[in-house]
Amino acid sequence: MFAVIKTGGKQYRVAAGDEIRIEKLEGAAGDTLDLGDVLMLGSDAGVTVGSPTVDGAQVIGELLDTNRARKIIVFKKRRRKNYRRTKGHRQWGTVVRIAEIVAPGEKAKTALKSTTAAPKAADAPKAKAKAAPKAAPKAAAPKAEKAPAKKAAAPKAAAADKLTDLAGVGPALATKLNEAGITTFAQVAAWTDADLDALSETITGLKAKAEKNDWINAAKALAK
């Protein structure tokens, strides 16, 4: 028996035991996969042509290897334009062995096995585990405790220092520091390397400027 299958936008004539190279499929060596649409089946009894596929037919293949093909050279040239481009390309592909061709109405003897399908089932418990902790903090955190936090922010704004007095701090950088919660010289004087690394993730080049202009010591002096 033989079959004509379509996978990766191409058609292949295969029989049991054949080894073919097709467009890359997801999976690991040893996996057994359904190789796609069966367009035609042929045997001693005759030929069955699908419209467009043969319902109930299946071609099962064993994945042997996934690798890159031989390099091809792509060269472009335009006459009298001083234009030449040379590039190489190696196409990914999968080598499979045809394990079984299943005709309509028959049951496959080879079980499908794919290592890439396992992580999908594990995603559901992760989603549930993440959803459970979210509900607990909302119920445990009283609304009355949030109000003092907002009131406590007002004194910081009132007692804000003029950060532009630090060397290298302009109005734009001072605004970014204020948005990050840095409003006083005392806060700058208390910075650690970890604080500088964290702030540098949102304010590019902050740590380098702070070390170059010695903001920590300058802030200690200004805070007094």
Side-chain angles (χ1 to χ4, degrees), residues 97-112:
R97 180 189 294 117
I98 306 303
E100 184 180 1
I101 297 176
V102 184
E106 297 181 357
K107 290 186 178 181
K109 299 177 183 178
T110 306
L112 296 179

Side-chain angles (χ1 to χ4, degrees), residues 10-177:
K10 300 177 182 178
Q11 297 180 12
Y12 304 87
R13 183 187 186 279
V14 297
D18 289 352
E19 291 187 9
I20 59 173
R21 182 182 182 85
I22 60 178
E23 294 298 316
K24 183 181 177 182
L25 296 177
E26 295 298 329
D31 288 354
T32 50
L33 309 170
D34 186 347
L35 294 183
D37 298 331
V38 180
L39 305 180
M40 185 172 70
L41 283 177
S43 64
D44 296 337
V47 175
T48 303
V49 179
S51 56
T53 61
V54 180
D55 293 336
Q58 191 178 26
V59 175
I60 299 175
E62 179 186 357
L63 194 153
L64 301 179
D65 190 20
T66 298
N67 51 37
R68 300 174 75 179
R70 179 179 60 85
K71 180 185 285 188
I72 61 172
I73 302 299
V74 181
F75 178 73
K76 294 183 180 180
K77 177 183 177 181
R78 295 178 183 172
R79 295 176 58 196
R80 296 185 293 274
K81 301 295 183 182
N82 194 27
Y83 179 91
R84 292 177 178 83
R85 297 292 184 272
T86 302
K87 292 184 179 180
H89 176 71
R90 297 184 65 190
Q91 181 68 22
W92 280 99
T94 297
V95 180
V96 296
R97 180 189 294 117
I98 306 303
E100 184 180 1
I101 297 176
V102 184
E106 297 181 357
K107 290 186 178 181
K109 299 177 183 178
T110 306
L112 296 179
K113 180 184 68 174
S114 176
T115 56
T116 58
K120 293 182 180 178
D123 290 342
K126 289 182 181 178
K128 291 180 181 178
K130 290 180 180 177
K134 288 182 181 178
K138 288 182 180 178
K143 293 182 179 179
E145 294 181 0
K146 294 182 180 179
K150 293 181 180 179
K151 292 179 181 178
K156 290 184 180 179
D161 293 327
K162 189 177 180 182
L163 298 180
T164 52
D165 290 344
L166 294 172
V169 179
L173 182 54
T175 302
K176 291 181 180 180
L177 288 170

Side-chain angles (χ1 to χ4, degrees), residues 130-208:
K130 290 180 180 177
K134 288 182 181 178
K138 288 182 180 178
K143 293 182 179 179
E145 294 181 0
K146 294 182 180 179
K150 293 181 180 179
K151 292 179 181 178
K156 290 184 180 179
D161 293 327
K162 189 177 180 182
L163 298 180
T164 52
D165 290 344
L166 294 172
V169 179
L173 182 54
T175 302
K176 291 181 180 180
L177 288 170
N178 291 337
E179 291 175 353
I182 307 301
T183 59
T184 64
F185 295 131
Q187 289 176 291
V188 177
W191 276 351
T192 63
D193 288 339
D195 295 331
L196 288 171
D197 292 335
L199 288 169
S200 295
E201 294 180 1
T202 55
I203 305 175
T204 306
L206 178 71
K207 185 175 182 180

